[in-house]
């Protein structure tokens, strides 16, 4: 869902940019800048770090192979990274300040972890079957590690974006 919303905003930004080109409307220009800021924020905080995590994360129960074919699973998880990298290479994204970006990534990670725990609380089933086999203490360590990893991916995205666009002084 994150990737679909992000790439939808990318298309909307590109179309808006094309349609407002040559226009003298300051309001249209202001709205376009807001859209570009949203696109850049989503790339930095959600699309890149979550896209990388979903690509490298292989916690997938065998039981679901009967319902979700391998090609669809790859379509939802594996193909995300190449498209995010293509987007990063073709469009310069302005990253937020490091502290704001990391705070937003942490907020997303904690919110997602709470959502996973809430689903377990309501249904009695863990979304990721691996969690079923972990003790409460190990779950806390696991969740902390995932939060640290997604923050590392945020930093990797920032460094990669700066390298590609040579924005480091």
């Amino acid at each position: 869902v994150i990737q679909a919303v992000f790439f939808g905003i990318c298309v909307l930004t590109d179309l808006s940019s094309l349609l407002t080109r040559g226009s003298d409307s300051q309001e249209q220009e202001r709205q376009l800048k807001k859209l570009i800021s949203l696109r850049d924020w989503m790339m930095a905080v959600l699309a890149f770090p979550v896209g990388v995590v979903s690509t490298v994360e292989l916690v997938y129960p065998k039981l679901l192979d009967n319902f979700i074919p391998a090609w669809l699973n790859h379509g939802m998880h594996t193909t995300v990274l190449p498209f995010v990298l293509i987007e990063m290479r073709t469009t310069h994204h302005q990253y937020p300040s490091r502290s704001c970006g990391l705070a937003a990534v942490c907020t997303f990670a904690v919110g997602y972890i709470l959502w996973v725990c809430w689903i377990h609380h309501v249904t009695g089933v863990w979304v990721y079957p691996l969690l079923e086999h972990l003790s409460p203490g190990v779950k806390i360590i696991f969740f902390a590690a995932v939060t640290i990893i997604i923050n590392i991916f945020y930093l990797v995205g920032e460094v990669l974006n700066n390298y590609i666009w040579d924005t480091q002084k």
Side-chain angles (χ1 to χ4, degrees):
V1 171
I2 290 170
Q3 301 302 323
V5 170
F6 169 68
F7 283 112
I9 289 172
C10 287
V11 169
L12 185 60
T13 302
D14 291 345
L15 288 175
S16 296
S17 180
L18 288 172
L19 294 173
T20 60
R21 184 168 284 151
S23 172
D24 290 336
S25 171
Q26 289 182 348
E27 179 60 24
Q28 285 180 338
E29 193 66 31
R30 192 174 68 77
Q31 294 298 328
L32 179 59
K33 285 181 181 180
K34 282 183 180 179
L35 199 55
I36 289 170
S37 292
L38 175 63
R39 178 203 65 195
D40 290 351
W41 184 88
M42 280 196 69
M43 173 65 163
V45 172
L46 296 174
F48 187 84
V50 174
V52 174
V53 167
S54 72
T55 300
V56 299
E57 176 187 82
L58 296 174
V59 184
Y60 192 75
K62 259 317 200 195
L63 173 68
L64 291 182
D65 287 343
N66 298 327
F67 305 102
I68 301 174
W71 64 268
L72 181 58
N73 182 40
H74 284 293
M76 291 187 303
H77 294 91
T78 312
T79 59
V80 169
L81 185 58
F83 286 118
V84 168
L85 290 173
I86 290 168
E87 170 65 20
M88 185 177 277
R89 179 60 186 101
T90 59
T91 306
H92 176 253
H93 295 276
Q94 186 66 41
Y95 268 59
S97 71
R98 187 168 285 173
S99 57
C100 288
L102 290 172
V105 169
C106 282
T107 301
F108 172 79
V110 169
Y112 186 78
I113 289 165
L114 291 174
W115 179 247
V116 167
C117 291
W118 176 254
I119 291 171
H120 176 262
H121 174 73
V122 171
T123 66
V125 177
W126 285 104
V127 175
Y128 301 102
L130 167 75
L131 295 172
E132 193 174 306
H133 306 289
L134 303 178
S135 69
V138 175
K139 278 185 188 91
I140 291 169
I141 293 168
F142 176 78
F143 289 143
V146 169
T147 302
I148 291 167
I149 289 168
I150 200 167
N151 277 276
I152 290 169
F153 287 145
Y154 170 85
L155 295 171
V156 167
E158 181 183 46
V159 169
L160 185 59
N161 185 65
N162 289 340
Y163 175 77
I164 289 170
W165 294 98
D166 197 23
T167 57
Q168 290 292 71
K169 304 224 178 345

